[in-house]
């Protein structure tokens, strides 16, 4: 469990009054999650999720919360932040930024079938389109600049073979990010971490995307690649499962058709998406933060996926 900042009902008795939610009735720490402290909160008005942000600042957070607000207002299924009585989406709790968002129904689908992948693909395309007129700008903070900064910090811990792969892939991705095809890719706000544990389903019905705290402005294709690399693979080998890949890409394409530049960039983008999570998992593994009972994710999973994407071409976008 990772509740970094404990909160009791007593702590929030007064605090909750700044929201139009009535009295707080129950609060319960949520066991999963490695970035923030999350709680299920029941008030007189309903069920919500309270998040205390452990790493993001008051300056950084409006980008994420206003994005969720923007998307929710346009019918994309995401948690809607609850504004305070003075219209703020953020409040301070135990000296840290905190927000209350609506609670999504359902649970994560950790063994997705093509029907789930299709629902995710269609909603992802809707999200990209709905984000087009989002006025705030923030780069993907886990993009190429962060990879450049992080690579030398993790290289000393790697075997020769893995270090060679990391160096070679960084060269490849630097060239890719500078090429003409890359420049033609559509960009906008992206989720950037749309793994199975960040989507809720009620049976086959998608009820929402959540955990937007890695979102930023990046290519839409990067978002698609991150999502395919988690939803549409054999988890033991990293090999893509064609029926799930097709279901996700076809459903996306039906809402927001992929472009020729995106088709050309697809194979390197799948590698970029694998590299991003290999690097962040290496970083978390070798530079662990202090946290209660925190288990870092396994970096070798994404090393395996990266090797597989280099070795085997993925099905095309369309
Ligand atoms: N809006 C929501 N509705 C319902 N459940 C939610 C919501 N937000 C978070 N949760 C629950 O809280 C858990 C942890 O949330 P979240 O994934 O955002 O945490 P995190 O610390 O950012 O973790 P990580 O980055 O590892 O995914 C989720 O697995 C989910 O069960
Ligand atoms: N989805 C990330 C964790 C951060 O949300 C990972 O699996 O490495």
């Amino acid at each position: 469990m990772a509740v970094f900042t404990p909160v009791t009902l007593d702590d929030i008795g007064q605090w909750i009054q700044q929201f139009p939610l009535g009295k707080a009735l129950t609060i319960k720490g949520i066991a999963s999650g490695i970035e923030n402290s999350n709680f299920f909160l029941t008030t007189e008005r309903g069920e919500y999720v309270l998040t205390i942000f452990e790493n993001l600042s008051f300056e950084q957070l409006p980008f994420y919360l206003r994005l969720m607000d923007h998307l929710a207002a346009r019918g994309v299924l995401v948690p809607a932040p609850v504004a305070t009585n003075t219209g703020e989406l953020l409040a301070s709790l135990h000296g840290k930024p905190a927000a209350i968002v609506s609670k999504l129904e359902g649970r994560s689908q950790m063994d997705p079938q093509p029907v789930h992948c299709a629902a995710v693909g269609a909603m992802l395309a809707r999200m990209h389109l709905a984000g087009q007129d989002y006025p705030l700008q923030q780069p993907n903070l886990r993009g190429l600049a962060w990879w450049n900064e992080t690579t030398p910090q993790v290289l000393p811990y790697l075997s020769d073979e893995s270090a060679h792969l990391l160096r070679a892939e960084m060269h490849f991705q630097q060239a890719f990010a500078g090429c003409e095809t890359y420049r033609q890719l559509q960009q906008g706000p992206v989720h950037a971490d749309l793994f199975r544990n960040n989507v809720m389903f009620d049976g086959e019905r998608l009820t929402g995307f959540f955990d937007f705290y890695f979102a930023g402005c990046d290519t839409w294709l990067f978002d698609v690649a991150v999502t395919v690399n988690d939803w549409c693979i054999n988890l033991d080998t990293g090999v893509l499962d064609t029926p799930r890949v097709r279901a996700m890409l076809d459903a996306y394409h039906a809402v927001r058709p992929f472009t020729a530049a995106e088709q050309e960039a697809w194979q390197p983008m799948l590698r970029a998406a694998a590299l991003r999570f290999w690097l962040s998992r290496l970083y978390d593994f070798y530079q662990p933060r202090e946290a209660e009972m925190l288990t870092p994710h396994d970096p070798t999973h994404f090393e395996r996926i990266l090797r597989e994407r280099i070795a085997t071409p993925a099905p095309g976008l369309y």
Side-chain angles (χ1 to χ4, degrees):
M1 144 152 185
V3 168
F4 303 77
T5 306
V7 176
T8 66
L9 210 48
D10 275 353
D11 292 337
I12 56 165
Q14 290 283 318
W15 183 83
I16 197 83
Q17 290 178 18
Q18 65 191 306
F19 293 90
L21 295 176
K23 288 201 182 92
L25 302 176
T26 63
I27 183 158
K28 187 170 179 295
I30 302 179
S32 60
I34 61 167
E35 287 293 323
N36 302 306
S37 299
N38 292 295
F39 305 84
F40 289 125
L41 169 69
T42 312
T43 79
E44 289 175 321
R45 295 294 143 74
E47 294 191 74
Y48 301 89
V49 171
L50 164 66
T51 300
I52 301 185
F53 300 98
E54 302 291 344
N55 301 309
L56 294 165
S57 67
F58 280 97
E59 291 69 37
Q60 291 170 314
L61 279 160
F63 176 85
Y64 309 103
L65 293 167
R66 286 177 60 185
L67 177 60
M68 288 156 74
D69 194 45
H70 179 96
L71 296 172
R74 284 157 182 77
V76 182
L77 299 179
V78 303
V82 179
T84 65
N85 299 323
T86 55
E88 303 294 329
L89 300 182
L90 264 180
S92 175
L93 184 57
H94 291 323
K96 294 176 182 171
I100 297 177
V101 302
S102 57
K103 182 179 171 189
L104 302 171
E105 287 168 49
R107 58 190 63 237
S108 293
Q109 174 50 262
M110 300 308 280
D111 182 21
Q113 303 304 308
V115 65
H116 304 108
C117 295
V120 170
M123 188 63 70
L124 185 60
R126 284 179 57 193
M127 189 190 90
H128 289 160
L129 292 174
Q132 282 182 111
D133 60 344
Y134 183 59
L136 300 190
Q137 285 286 332
Q138 176 171 284
N140 170 6
L141 299 175
R142 291 283 182 276
L144 184 61
W146 188 83
W147 309 348
N148 283 329
E149 209 177 282
T150 306
T151 295
Q153 298 182 53
V154 300
L155 272 175
Y157 299 101
L158 301 186
S159 68
D160 288 349
E161 206 188 348
S162 298
H164 176 75
L165 173 67
L166 179 52
R167 281 199 205 91
E169 190 61 23
M170 283 300 295
H171 276 292
F172 178 84
Q173 291 298 334
Q174 281 153 353
F176 171 51
C179 79
E180 181 50 34
T181 304
Y182 189 95
R183 264 191 289 278
Q184 290 171 25
L185 302 178
Q186 307 231 48
Q187 303 217 6
V190 298
H191 185 288
D193 189 27
L194 197 60
F195 282 48
R196 287 160 295 147
N197 63 334
N198 287 334
V199 178
M200 291 295 189
F201 276 92
D202 182 4
E204 291 182 355
R205 184 174 64 94
L206 192 159
T207 59
F209 292 172
F210 64 102
D211 198 1
F212 275 76
Y213 305 111
F214 282 114
C217 297
D218 204 331
T219 63
W220 286 342
L221 193 65
F222 178 73
D223 224 8
V224 178
V226 167
T227 310
V228 164
N229 272 345
D230 185 66
W231 286 81
C232 310
I233 64 167
N234 174 317
L235 290 169
D236 294 326
T237 60
V239 172
L240 289 167
D241 175 52
T242 303
R244 279 181 284 159
V245 176
R246 272 280 52 90
M248 183 173 284
L249 296 179
D250 291 353
Y252 184 104
H253 190 64
V255 177
R256 203 280 296 175
F258 291 113
T259 65
E262 286 175 324
Q263 180 77 297
E264 207 175 308
W266 180 226
Q267 309 295 334
M269 195 61 89
L270 283 163
R271 291 168 56 167
L275 174 66
R276 180 266 182 245
F277 288 95
W278 185 30
L279 269 174
S280 62
R281 287 183 173 201
L282 285 171
Y283 182 79
D284 287 343
F285 195 83
Y286 291 114
Q287 323 260 329
R289 282 177 282 124
E290 282 186 28
E292 280 177 42
M293 295 169 272
L294 179 61
T295 317
H297 293 302
D298 172 21
T300 60
H301 176 68
F302 275 103
E303 179 176 355
R304 202 174 305 120
I305 293 178
L306 176 57
R307 289 186 190 279
E308 170 59 24
R309 295 298 170 274
I310 294 169
T312 315
L317 287 175
Y318 52 85

